[in-house]
Amino acid sequence: MNYSEILYSLETASLFDVYRLKIAINFLLDQPERLFAIKRQLSIGMNISYFCDRENKLIDAVIEEIRRNSVCVRNKNDGKPWIIPFYFINLQNTNTDIHIRSAHKKLDRNQLQVGENISFTGRDDQEMYGTIVQLNQKTVSVLTQNGERWRVGYGLLSKILDADGYEAPERKMIDADITIIDM
């Protein structure tokens, strides 16, 4: 499912239309036969990923307990236990990223994740770089490279590429003998 296209289609919808869809979606989330279909696929000790709305990204976890309508999982990154509903679990390994459709559109909460590297213009028109530590309703909390914490509006942010993961191509060495001739 392409979430970016769905959201693009909903940009012209009224708030009432969006609310009505929300009610219909909530009904689908609570259907017992859908929940049971997910539950049948789960087992204790299973590695899963689930979508965390606070961080706006998938979290890797291990199932520790299966309940009637939820599971107790342990986050692989920080070891914290969480109880999540079945419908948080990404069994089909769906891509959950939402991309900007137009180059002129500013970033919003849907396009950013906690832990993502970004840039923005700080005081005195200085270019600042940092990592997102929290997504708020109107702003993002950013920890800059120099250790400062900033709250920056979504529209003022730009995504940057992380060069840490770049691997230079392997270079081939030429083995040769050099002879110096005196003239």
Side-chain angles (χ1 to χ4, degrees), residues 4 6 22 26 36 41 45 50 53-54 57-58 71 85 91 121 125 136 143-144 158 160 164 183:
S4 300
I6 293 170
K22 176 183 173 184
N26 285 341
F36 186 69
Q41 297 177 58
Y50 68 92
D53 64 332
R54 270 187 317 106
K57 67 179 182 179
L58 290 172
V71 291
L91 288 174
T121 303
D125 291 328
N136 308 308
L143 186 61
T144 62
S158 298
I160 59 172
D164 291 340
M183 297 205 170

Side-chain angles (χ1 to χ4, degrees), residues 16-84:
F16 177 79
D17 292 335
V18 173
Y19 166 72
R20 180 61 187 100
L21 283 172
K22 176 183 173 184
I23 299 301
I25 289 169
N26 285 341
F27 175 74
L28 292 173
L29 290 174
D30 291 332
Q31 286 183 332
E33 53 280 354
R34 284 179 177 245
L35 294 172
F36 186 69
I38 295 171
K39 187 175 185 176
R40 282 194 321 249
Q41 297 177 58
L42 304 178
S43 61
I44 294 175
M46 181 178 180
N47 290 313
I48 57 140
S49 65
Y50 68 92
F51 189 79
C52 175
D53 64 332
R54 270 187 317 106
E55 297 189 24
N56 200 39
K57 67 179 182 179
L58 290 172
I59 304 293
D60 292 325
V62 177
I63 296 176
E64 294 190 331
E65 180 184 347
I66 300 172
R67 298 178 177 186
R68 196 179 98 182
N69 293 319
S70 61
V71 291
C72 181
V73 299
R74 185 159 306 275
N75 183 323
K76 285 186 170 183
N77 294 328
D78 61 17
K80 291 182 181 177
W82 295 96
I83 297 172
I84 60 170

Side-chain angles (χ1 to χ4, degrees), residues 69-105:
N69 293 319
S70 61
V71 291
C72 181
V73 299
R74 185 159 306 275
N75 183 323
K76 285 186 170 183
N77 294 328
D78 61 17
K80 291 182 181 177
W82 295 96
I83 297 172
I84 60 170
F86 292 141
Y87 51 78
F88 278 30
I89 300 172
N90 187 10
L91 288 174
Q92 291 82 24
N93 295 318
T94 303
N95 180 357
T96 60
D97 293 341
I98 295 177
H99 303 285
I100 302 171
R101 185 160 181 153
S102 166
H104 303 297
K105 187 173 179 182

